[in-house]
Amino acid sequence: MTVPPSPRVDRRHFIAASGAAALTAALPRPADAARPQVRGGPVVISSGNGLVAVARALAQLNDGVDPAAAVVHGVAAVEDDPRDMSVGLGGLPNEQGVVQLDASVMHGPTHKAGAVAGLENVRNAAAVALEVLRRTDHVLLVGAGALAFARACGFEEENLLTERARQAWLKWKGNLNPDDDWLDDDQLVTPAPDSRAHAGPTPHTHGTIHCAALNDQGDLGACTTTSGLSYKIPGRVGDSPIIGAGMYVENDIGAAGATGRGESVIQSCGAFQIVQHMGRGDHPTAACLKVLEWIARHTRRPALLNDRGQPNFGCTMYAVRKDGAYGSATMRGRNVQFAVADAAGARKEECAVLYG
Ligand code: GLY
């Protein structure tokens, strides 16, 4: 499968092209023309770390599994993978070295939602969120309550902090502050007791997996699952378990989700906004770009802006519409990809870029 060229839209072009029609005109017609025109489902999309997830979820859809259950089954492959340090087992911990997971799921036909936040010791947070949806009249369970619920549902408990994640956390602690008593173990190899050699802070990461599915009946389901911001303050909750922020579904319109800086996605009601834009007729890619541009306009804190006044953080949006059209857009970066599976198979495609 040939990956279509990236539909890059820089900020100057974006702002000059005000209005949905102008924005849609900025999108890559040749790539769209080359892409098989999917009409309806099944189609599954995910963040770039979800190639295995979209393939698994599509197989489930083809077996008649409900789309909400299919995406939860899909992302479990990534939650179970200790090499992915953004979710589930092996996710990066909070500042105290404890892995705390957030997840949400939504079922289009019933418009029901379930979510957990700050969940410890259970790797498949999306599956626990699905149980909240299925077994309760609540939407969001947090912390000790979420863990007790997961236990009641029969989920196994384990230490989610892998050796690799623990080493990354220790490295972060060792380089956090030149004046504290935590040293980077590199200093054992090259002792620098007088200078307290300090490599500078390790950047925080916001790895996450979002996955959305449309079946051949036109029904939608979506989920987002994450270990959240690495080295976060204990108890910090990101966008992933917030319905309308990191994930949202309206069965008559489409589904959307986000990865990246959760605070910005919460402050923009990101996934909800994307679905509303699609409801007004936008292509999913255009809807994603509009919300990224909205986030850019509302980002005021100097530490979050580069010298051109643009957001300096990562944020990627994903959307699938009820007619099978889909797309993704990212705030910045090159070769940022998302995963897709449909009748043409599972593959990665390039995200549109707001700031190329
Ligand atoms: N988007 C994931 C997080 O910020 O927690």
Side-chain angles (χ1 to χ4, degrees):
M1 174 76 195
T2 310
V3 175
S6 173
R8 296 186 193 287
V9 181
D10 66 31
R11 183 175 171 79
R12 201 157 40 90
H13 189 172
F14 183 90
I15 288 180
S18 60
L23 178 61
T24 303
L27 294 173
R29 297 213 170 274
D32 276 346
R35 179 180 296 160
Q37 288 300 304
V38 180
R39 283 286 163 257
V43 59
V44 185
I45 65 165
S46 172
S47 38
N49 55 347
L51 193 60
V52 61
V54 293
R56 271 174 74 153
L58 183 70
Q60 294 263 296
L61 291 184
N62 289 335
D63 284 347
V65 173
D66 177 88
V71 292
V72 167
H73 183 73
V75 300
V78 185
E79 292 174 324
D80 288 342
D81 182 353
R83 293 167 304 175
D84 189 309
M85 298 175 88
S86 69
V87 295
L89 178 67
L92 288 169
N94 66 20
E95 68 178 19
Q96 292 176 354
V98 177
V99 180
Q100 293 186 318
L101 305 179
D102 298 338
S104 64
V105 60
M106 216 164 156
H107 179 241
T110 56
H111 203 68
K112 278 200 83 182
V116 290
L119 175 67
E120 297 178 10
N121 298 347
V122 178
R123 62 168 75 176
N124 297 123
V128 181
L130 183 62
E131 291 303 302
V132 175
L133 185 158
R134 288 178 60 221
R135 295 182 185 278
T136 80
D137 192 35
H138 302 323
V139 170
L140 175 60
L141 299 180
V142 305
L147 177 57
F149 174 80
R151 272 192 207 119
C153 293
F155 285 88
E156 278 178 25
E157 285 185 72
E158 63 189 318
N159 179 11
L160 302 179
L161 187 68
T162 58
E163 182 58 18
R164 185 162 164 240
R166 193 179 66 80
Q167 291 295 343
W169 170 69
L170 280 176
K171 185 106 190 139
W172 171 79
K173 279 188 90 67
N175 286 289
L176 191 59
N177 181 347
D179 298 324
D180 71 16
D181 292 324
W182 283 90
L183 306 178
D184 188 339
D185 71 356
D186 287 350
Q187 293 172 52
L188 294 177
V189 181
T190 312
D194 297 335
S195 66
R196 288 194 155 202
H198 185 253
T202 314
H204 292 269
T205 57
H206 297 84
T208 297
I209 179 166
H210 167 73
C211 190
L214 172 74
N215 69 11
D216 60 2
Q217 307 294 304
D219 287 330
L220 290 145
C223 72
T224 303
T225 178
T226 188
S227 52
L229 178 70
S230 59
Y231 321 128
K232 59 195 173 189
I233 296 172
R236 177 264 189 190
V237 173
D239 58 315
S240 304
I242 308 296
I243 308 305
M247 189 279 312
Y248 186 66
V249 178
E250 268 188 48
N251 211 46
D252 292 341
I253 301 174
T259 59
R261 188 173 185 278
E263 284 72 8
S264 297
V265 178
I266 294 172
Q267 287 162 349
S268 63
C269 303
F272 182 81
Q273 278 211 54
I274 291 170
V275 171
Q276 302 319 306
H277 286 309
M278 291 195 292
R280 289 189 283 270
D282 281 349
H283 185 276
T285 310
C288 291
L289 282 165
K290 277 186 177 172
V291 175
L292 290 172
E293 199 281 335
W294 193 101
I295 289 173
R297 267 189 290 120
H298 290 80
T299 301
R300 311 272 158 75
R301 217 180 112 213
L304 296 175
L305 299 168
N306 65 17
D307 54 8
R308 282 171 287 172
Q310 302 165 351
N312 58 17
F313 51 85
C315 189
T316 306
M317 303 291 186
Y318 314 86
V320 58
R321 210 169 52 186
K322 194 169 177 73
D323 64 359
Y326 61 85
S328 172
T330 194
M331 185 69 82
R332 55 189 324 105
R334 293 186 191 285
N335 304 319
V336 181
Q337 296 185 315
F338 67 109
V340 187
D342 57 19
R347 60 193 178 274
K348 289 196 185 177
E349 297 189 8
E350 281 196 35
C351 303
V353 183
L354 184 57
Y355 300 112

